[in-house]
Amino acid sequence: MSHHSSSLDIHPPEQAESHLLLQQRQHFEGAIVELQDELQRAHQQLKANTERAAKMRMHHEKEKKGLMAQAQHFGSTLDGVASEHAAKHNAVGMQHQAELSEMEERLQQQAFAHEDQQRRQGSAHESKLQDVDEWCTAEVEAVRRHSCLSIQAADAKAAHW
């Protein structure tokens, strides 16, 4: 009986220890399952975040390309407008220069025409003055001849009387 009793004394502490170890094992296995579930959720969240980041990156790249294309288009448009403005400015400047040259040419031609007209008027005036002078001289000569003839006739009449 002593053997039996000593065997009974040893068994319950081992059983309690086994039971405690079994509880700890179940607790650790439960913790491992929870950690694996948490790890799986974290992997799923990471995958979802990575996919969302990739979609956002693609969206931003597409938007960036669109904005770059717009900037290039606006730059080209601005260059075209600046070039067109410069061409119009040059054309207007050349037109004004041509108009100014034409006006100067006309003014010079008018000055020459005015001088020529004054010369012709002066010549015509001189010619008329010369004609008037010649006419006056002829008239004076005619009056003188007539006077001389009248005097001679009067002298002849007086001598005859």
Side-chain angles (χ1 to χ4, degrees):
M1 208 159 183
S2 135
H3 177 51
H4 190 287
S5 130
S6 78
S7 146
L8 284 176
D9 287 345
I10 295 175
H11 202 286
E14 288 176 355
Q15 195 176 13
E17 188 178 328
S18 289
H19 184 61
L20 182 65
L21 287 174
L22 182 61
Q23 282 180 340
Q24 285 179 346
R25 179 179 173 195
Q26 288 174 347
H27 173 71
F28 286 133
E29 285 176 349
I32 288 173
V33 167
E34 284 180 20
L35 287 174
Q36 285 175 338
D37 286 347
E38 193 175 321
L39 182 62
Q40 186 177 2
R41 283 191 303 274
H43 278 297
Q44 288 173 347
Q45 186 67 38
L46 178 63
K47 182 179 176 185
N49 287 345
T50 303
E51 288 173 359
R52 187 171 50 235
K55 285 179 184 177
M56 288 178 72
R57 190 175 321 118
M58 287 174 51
H59 174 73
H60 287 293
E61 285 297 319
K62 185 178 177 183
E63 196 172 281
K64 181 181 174 183
K65 284 181 184 177
L67 290 174
M68 293 296 285
Q70 273 186 329
Q72 185 177 5
H73 172 72
F74 291 147
S76 296
T77 301
L78 183 60
D79 290 344
V81 167
S83 177
E84 184 179 330
H85 176 72
K88 284 181 180 178
H89 181 72
N90 286 342
V92 167
M94 289 171 49
Q95 181 182 1
H96 286 170
Q97 185 62 40
E99 289 173 356
L100 182 61
S101 295
E102 184 180 321
M103 285 181 197
E104 288 173 344
E105 177 73 24
R106 274 191 299 202
L107 185 61
Q108 190 174 18
Q109 287 175 357
Q110 287 175 353
F112 287 147
H114 182 70
E115 287 175 9
D116 188 46
Q117 182 181 8
Q118 282 186 335
R119 239 188 333 271
R120 279 186 275 124
Q121 284 179 346
S123 294
H125 185 69
E126 284 293 322
S127 177
K128 285 181 183 177
L129 284 178
Q130 190 174 0
D131 288 348
V132 167
D133 192 40
E134 288 174 4
W135 179 81
C136 288
T137 304
E139 286 297 311
V140 167
E141 283 300 317
V143 167
R144 196 176 288 154
R145 270 191 313 263
H146 181 66
S147 295
C148 282
L149 289 176
S150 294
I151 290 173
Q152 286 175 355
D155 282 346
K157 254 189 192 181
H160 198 39
W161 270 20

Coordinates of all heavy atoms in Angstrom, one line a residue, residues 86-104 106:
A86 N 5.3 89.3 -84.0 CA 6.5 89.9 -84.6 C 6.4 90.1 -86.1 O 6.8 91.1 -86.6 CB 7.7 88.9 -84.2
A87 N 5.8 89.1 -86.8 CA 5.6 89.2 -88.2 C 4.7 90.4 -88.5 O 5.0 91.2 -89.4 CB 5.1 87.9 -88.8
K88 N 3.6 90.5 -87.8 CA 2.7 91.6 -88.0 C 3.4 93.0 -87.7 O 3.2 93.9 -88.4 CB 1.4 91.5 -87.2 CG 0.5 90.4 -87.7 CD -0.8 90.4 -86.9 CE -1.8 89.3 -87.4 NZ -3.0 89.2 -86.6
H89 N 4.1 93.0 -86.6 CA 4.8 94.2 -86.2 C 5.8 94.6 -87.3 O 5.9 95.8 -87.7 CB 5.6 94.0 -84.9 CG 6.3 95.1 -84.4 ND1 5.7 96.3 -83.9 CD2 7.6 95.4 -84.4 CE1 6.6 97.2 -83.5 NE2 7.8 96.7 -83.8
N90 N 6.6 93.6 -87.8 CA 7.5 93.9 -88.9 C 6.8 94.4 -90.2 O 7.2 95.3 -90.8 CB 8.3 92.7 -89.2 CG 9.4 92.4 -88.2 OD1 9.7 93.3 -87.4 ND2 9.9 91.2 -88.2
A91 N 5.6 93.7 -90.5 CA 4.9 94.1 -91.7 C 4.3 95.5 -91.5 O 4.4 96.3 -92.5 CB 3.7 93.1 -91.9
V92 N 3.8 95.9 -90.3 CA 3.3 97.2 -90.1 C 4.5 98.2 -90.2 O 4.3 99.3 -90.8 CB 2.6 97.3 -88.7 CG1 2.3 98.7 -88.3 CG2 1.3 96.5 -88.8
G93 N 5.6 97.9 -89.6 CA 6.8 98.8 -89.7 C 7.2 99.0 -91.1 O 7.5 100.1 -91.5
M94 N 7.2 97.9 -91.9 CA 7.6 98.0 -93.3 C 6.6 98.8 -94.1 O 6.9 99.6 -94.9 CB 7.8 96.6 -93.9 CG 9.0 95.9 -93.4 SD 9.2 94.2 -93.9 CE 8.9 94.2 -95.6
Q95 N 5.3 98.6 -93.8 CA 4.2 99.4 -94.4 C 4.4 100.8 -94.1 O 4.3 101.7 -95.0 CB 2.9 98.8 -94.0 CG 1.7 99.6 -94.7 CD 0.3 99.1 -94.2 OE1 0.3 98.2 -93.3 NE2 -0.7 99.6 -94.7
H96 N 4.6 101.2 -92.8 CA 4.8 102.6 -92.5 C 6.0 103.2 -93.1 O 5.9 104.3 -93.6 CB 4.9 102.7 -90.9 CG 3.6 102.5 -90.2 ND1 3.5 102.4 -88.9 CD2 2.3 102.4 -90.7 CE1 2.3 102.2 -88.5 NE2 1.5 102.2 -89.6
Q97 N 7.1 102.4 -93.2 CA 8.3 102.9 -93.9 C 8.0 103.2 -95.4 O 8.4 104.2 -95.9 CB 9.4 101.9 -93.7 CG 10.7 102.4 -94.3 CD 11.2 103.6 -93.6 OE1 11.1 103.8 -92.4 NE2 11.8 104.6 -94.3
A98 N 7.2 102.2 -96.0 CA 6.9 102.4 -97.4 C 6.0 103.6 -97.6 O 6.2 104.4 -98.5 CB 6.2 101.2 -97.9
E99 N 5.0 103.8 -96.7 CA 4.1 105.0 -96.8 C 4.9 106.2 -96.6 O 4.7 107.2 -97.3 CB 3.0 104.8 -95.7 CG 2.0 103.8 -96.1 CD 1.0 103.6 -94.9 OE1 1.1 104.2 -93.9 OE2 0.0 102.8 -95.1
L100 N 5.8 106.2 -95.6 CA 6.7 107.4 -95.3 C 7.5 107.7 -96.6 O 7.6 108.9 -97.0 CB 7.5 107.2 -94.1 CG 8.4 108.3 -93.7 CD1 7.5 109.5 -93.3 CD2 9.3 107.9 -92.5
S101 N 8.1 106.7 -97.1 CA 9.0 106.9 -98.3 C 8.1 107.5 -99.5 O 8.5 108.4 -100.2 CB 9.6 105.6 -98.8 OG 10.5 105.2 -97.8
E102 N 6.9 106.9 -99.6 CA 6.0 107.4 -100.7 C 5.6 108.8 -100.4 O 5.6 109.6 -101.4 CB 4.7 106.5 -100.7 CG 3.8 106.8 -101.8 CD 2.6 105.9 -101.8 OE1 2.7 104.7 -101.5 OE2 1.5 106.4 -102.0
M103 N 5.3 109.2 -99.2 CA 4.9 110.6 -98.9 C 6.1 111.5 -99.1 O 5.9 112.6 -99.7 CB 4.5 110.7 -97.4 CG 3.1 110.1 -97.1 SD 2.8 110.4 -95.4 CE 1.5 109.2 -95.1
E104 N 7.3 111.1 -98.8 CA 8.5 111.9 -99.0 C 8.7 112.1 -100.5 O 9.0 113.2 -101.0 CB 9.7 111.3 -98.4 CG 9.8 111.4 -96.9 CD 10.9 110.6 -96.3 OE1 11.5 109.7 -97.0 OE2 11.2 110.8 -95.1
R106 N 6.3 111.9 -102.9 CA 5.3 112.8 -103.4 C 5.6 114.3 -103.0 O 5.4 115.2 -103.8 CB 3.9 112.4 -102.8 CG 3.2 111.4 -103.6 CD 1.8 111.2 -103.1 NE 1.8 110.8 -101.7 CZ 0.9 110.2 -101.1 NH1 -0.2 109.9 -101.7 NH2 1.0 109.8 -99.9

